[in-house]
Amino acid sequence: MTAELVRGQNHPLPDTRLEIRVSAGHPVVAGATLGDERGRVPGVEWIAHPVSPSLPGVDVPRQAAADQHLAVDLAAVPEAVHRVSVLLALPVGAGGPTSFGTVAAPFVAVTGPDGAEIASYTITGLDSESAVVAVELYRRQGAWKVRAMGQGYQGGLAALLGDQGLERPADLAASILAASIPKAEGALHPAPATTPDPGTRAPADPAPAVRAPVAPVTPPPAEASAPAPSSGGPINYAHPRRRPAAPDPAPAQTPGEPRPTQPPQGPPVPVAGDAAGWSMDERLYNQVWGMFEDLARTAAAYRSACDFAESRLDRELDEVLSDPRARIGGAGDAARSAARVRHDELVERAKEVLDRDLAQLAVESGVVEPALPPAYARWDNPVWHAYRPPAEEPMAVRLGDLHLPERADLRIPMLVRLPLERGLWVDSGRGRSEAAGLLDETELRRLALDTAVAHAARLLAVHPAGGFAVHVVDAAGAGAAALAPLVDTGVLSAPPARGAAGVSAVLEQLTERVDLLQMALRNGAVDALPPGLDTARQLLIVHDFPHGFDDRAVTRLRYLADEGPGVGVHLLMVADREDAAAYGPVLDPLWRSLLRLTPVPDDHLADPWVGHAWSYEPPLLPPGSRILRQVLAEVADAGPAKRP
């Protein structure tokens, strides 16, 4: 099955003998560079281009053409080569296109020795660029992969070659482009438009101008191709999977009847991962926050329109009341009625726009949510049933959902970047939440610790095996039932600390760790750290604060909250601020330094961008689900919990 790549996505290569096919719909120059681990090209002898088309393991065409074929044998490239970059550039010459933004998007396919497609990539999003790194074949831990690049250069081939570390790139680019021009000039540039003979059929162009939205995307046969437009014609640059559905074909037209009007095309179909980024995680992260911004923006526009309608209605009613002639008789009633009609019309138009935008966001959410990786996914996502510990730390982690009252069922994942820059605080107090007011104190505290355990389990799951360690302080032992998944699966670094002595021992241990790492970083002596020191990030869960804490322990806790995140020591508090009221303002900096989360829905998260109050929902597990224990068991099997 062909892997249809988007920019930044990679795919493993099952064979070392490959053919790279380029279909551009217009002449392009194709070449390849051989780079080291950092992507730097040592010299001109490491470039395959029309002047020098053959290198060990790489052969490229000698001339510019609309369809190009490059032969690659990765087993034959030198050992020093770790990257093979496929380059495309527009040839110079009068009458030809000067940028990829004025022509159809190039299509690249990587095929095996049998001709079967392994991966394909449509290079969308180009504008004024005249050269592009299309795809990259790279070696990682002895295996080869292909990555969709799509990195364009406005400075043309010279800027591309200069970016890869070559000297005198302008001269080299000029010689490559000059050598790529075919001797028959007519083969490179189209002839002037003429009226065809009625009895002569015009030949089909070699490639279509716009690819049909099919999956997988492959070049259609020549007989199905539409004529390619001229260099200045309109081109659809939308992602191949975001094209609107084609309208139904028009019915047969009777001679003499007026031509029916085609219905307008619908909104684009969303695609998971259709955002900027070099990896799928980064694209999904950017897409989720793009959805957050879109929801914030459309809600702000709707609220602003309603506020304007209200203010205009008040002003018009005041004007009516200020006129003595309008206060008596039918004229005043008519003016007031007209003002209310204008108000209702404006609100109705704003509501239509809001509903349209919210419907599109709901469709996109329905596409994106099932495609999220474990770090971003809800606990009821099937991706957790196939969970395995990752090889590297993700960009972010999901801490819950956000929504606005305009559409409460449209929830945006709340993604927080990793490593955490602030500690977390799960508030077990009532606060001002209506949902918390409906629960008794015991149930609210239980939900708070359950939420903290879910957060800790997710942080354990999204880090590589042995890359994250969890400590627990439960001075009174009141959280034994909620902490059972962490204790029973053996993912904790040590049993939960009990009593004042246990609290003091854990805080002293982590404080010394922070001091040691800070001194090593300040003095540039990281290599001098003790060989037995655990390099994993540390998370301290503090339950039922301030029970079991004396003044010295409170001071150490504040120190960990302030200095710990910088060296990989993080805090997860489960506490009611009212329980620590006896400390007065001493603990105010501690609470302010933590990101407050709630175990029940609450609208406490403020948005400084547009001033919204977002409703937060915690990441609760489905009732009766055992997925949490299943995931923690996988974490424990991948590597035993380490002690610092």
Side-chain angles (χ1 to χ4, degrees):
M1 181 177 178
T2 304
E4 183 187 347
L5 306 181
V6 295
R7 183 179 180 183
Q9 188 176 0
N10 59 52
H11 187 73
L13 295 173
D15 203 301
T16 57
R17 295 183 59 192
L18 308 166
E19 185 179 54
I20 299 175
R21 302 173 182 175
V22 179
S23 178
H26 51 85
V28 294
V29 180
T33 61
L34 308 184
D36 56 17
E37 292 182 345
R38 297 181 299 170
R40 309 297 288 179
V41 180
V44 294
E45 66 276 6
W46 294 75
I47 308 176
H49 52 83
V51 180
S52 178
S54 297
L55 289 179
V58 179
D59 287 288
V60 302
R62 293 179 176 271
Q63 291 184 341
D67 294 311
Q68 299 279 24
H69 297 265
L70 293 77
V72 178
D73 186 356
L74 297 173
V77 300
E79 287 293 329
V81 174
H82 288 262
R83 299 186 188 182
V84 179
S85 300
V86 177
L87 321 176
L88 301 178
L90 294 174
V92 294
T98 58
S99 67
F100 282 106
T102 59
V103 292
F107 174 84
V108 181
V110 180
T111 66
D114 57 353
E117 281 192 10
I118 300 170
S120 64
Y121 173 41
T122 303
I123 311 175
T124 58
L126 299 177
D127 187 11
S128 58
E129 299 89 343
S130 58
V132 61
V133 179
V135 295
E136 177 185 79
L137 313 178
Y138 66 98
R139 196 199 315 252
R140 180 68 56 83
Q141 297 178 351
W144 286 91
K145 295 183 179 182
V146 58
R147 177 186 287 122
M149 298 292 289
Q151 178 61 57
Y153 292 83
Q154 294 183 354
L157 186 59
L160 187 156
L161 297 175
D163 191 43
Q164 299 204 3
L166 292 164
E167 298 180 356
R168 303 180 63 183
D171 296 340
L172 178 58
S175 63
I176 293 173
L177 295 176
S180 66
I181 301 176
K183 294 181 180 179
E185 192 68 23
L188 179 60
H189 305 302
T194 57
T195 304
D197 188 346
T200 304
R201 180 179 178 181
D205 283 327
V210 178
R211 301 185 186 279
V214 296
V217 178
T218 55
E223 59 268 23
S225 301
S230 63
S231 61
I235 302 297
N236 188 347
Y237 297 107
H239 189 282
R241 293 292 185 84
R242 291 186 78 102
R243 302 278 172 79
D248 295 333
Q253 185 177 351
T254 304
E257 287 185 355
R259 182 179 179 87
T261 302
Q262 290 287 350
Q265 293 183 339
V269 179
V271 179
D274 189 13
W278 291 103
S279 66
M280 182 57 76
D281 279 1
E282 184 179 359
R283 291 196 302 275
L284 287 170
Y285 173 85
N286 290 333
Q287 186 172 13
V288 166
W289 280 106
M291 293 164 57
F292 171 83
E293 293 175 356
D294 289 344
L295 179 55
R297 187 182 300 110
T298 190
Y302 171 70
R303 295 178 185 182
S304 177
C306 291
D307 290 343
F308 172 75
E310 290 290 342
S311 63
R312 188 177 68 175
L313 176 62
D314 292 342
R315 185 180 68 253
E316 291 178 349
L317 293 179
D318 289 342
E319 291 175 355
V320 172
L321 293 175
S322 63
D323 186 356
R325 295 169 298 178
R327 288 198 293 265
I328 302 174
D333 294 338
R336 286 189 289 271
S337 177
R340 291 190 176 92
V341 168
R342 286 191 292 271
H343 167 272
D344 294 342
E345 289 178 351
L346 180 57
V347 172
E348 184 178 357
R349 289 199 302 269
K351 188 65 166 61
E352 289 176 356
V353 174
L354 174 70
D355 291 342
R356 180 201 63 196
D357 293 344
L358 292 180
Q360 179 66 12
L361 281 172
V363 173
E364 185 172 11
S365 177
V367 172
V368 171
E369 189 70 47
L372 295 177
Y376 305 166
R378 295 169 58 94
W379 283 111
D380 57 1
N381 192 312
V383 71
W384 286 108
H385 294 281
Y387 166 78
R388 293 296 182 273
E392 56 186 21
E393 180 182 294
M395 284 188 60
V397 67
R398 185 174 191 161
L399 296 182
D401 294 335
L402 301 172
H403 67 84
L404 291 175
E406 279 75 10
R407 183 160 179 174
D409 63 332
L410 178 56
R411 290 171 169 81
I412 307 297
M414 179 181 172
L415 302 183
V416 176
R417 291 294 297 266
L418 291 178
L420 297 174
E421 297 180 356
R422 302 171 62 186
L424 306 177
W425 166 30
V426 180
D427 190 355
S428 59
R430 295 188 182 279
R432 294 174 297 174
S433 171
E434 294 181 3
L438 300 176
L439 301 174
D440 60 36
E441 183 178 348
T442 302
E443 179 67 10
L444 190 58
R445 290 179 183 272
R446 184 192 63 79
L447 282 177
L449 188 52
D450 285 343
T451 303
V453 169
H455 288 314
R458 182 182 291 267
L459 288 169
L460 277 165
V462 303
H463 283 82
F468 201 80
V470 177
H471 310 261
V472 176
V473 167
D474 184 21
L483 295 170
L486 299 175
V487 176
D488 296 345
T489 53
V491 296
L492 294 180
S493 297
R498 303 285 177 84
V503 171
S504 178
V506 172
L507 292 176
E508 181 179 4
Q509 182 184 34
L510 293 177
T511 302
E512 291 178 354
R513 177 187 178 89
V514 172
D515 289 339
L516 183 62
L517 292 174
Q518 282 189 335
M519 286 189 295
L521 291 175
R522 289 195 199 101
N523 298 312
V526 178
D527 296 338
L529 289 171
L533 182 71
D534 182 13
T535 58
R537 299 188 185 278
Q538 310 288 313
L539 176 70
L540 174 61
I541 302 177
V542 178
H543 178 237
D544 209 14
F545 176 81
H547 185 84
F549 281 73
D550 55 19
D551 291 345
R552 184 178 180 85
V554 170
T555 301
R556 284 176 170 168
L557 187 68
R558 289 183 53 188
Y559 176 74
L560 291 178
D562 293 337
E563 305 296 335
V567 290
V569 177
H570 309 283
L571 192 61
L572 175 52
M573 296 275 291
V574 185
D576 180 1
R577 188 169 182 173
E578 293 299 323
D579 293 343
Y583 286 93
V586 173
L587 289 183
D588 286 351
L590 172 65
W591 304 118
R592 287 196 298 265
S593 69
L594 303 174
L595 174 60
R596 178 176 175 260
L597 306 174
T598 56
V600 292
D602 190 15
D603 59 351
H604 68 282
L605 291 176
D607 178 5
W609 182 37
V610 290
H612 294 331
W614 290 82
S615 293
Y616 167 80
E617 289 200 11
L620 300 178
L621 290 160
S625 173
R626 295 186 57 83
I627 193 64
L628 185 70
R629 287 181 176 268
Q630 177 183 327
V631 169
L632 291 176
E634 290 289 342
V635 173
D637 291 343
K642 298 181 180 180
R643 301 173 187 269

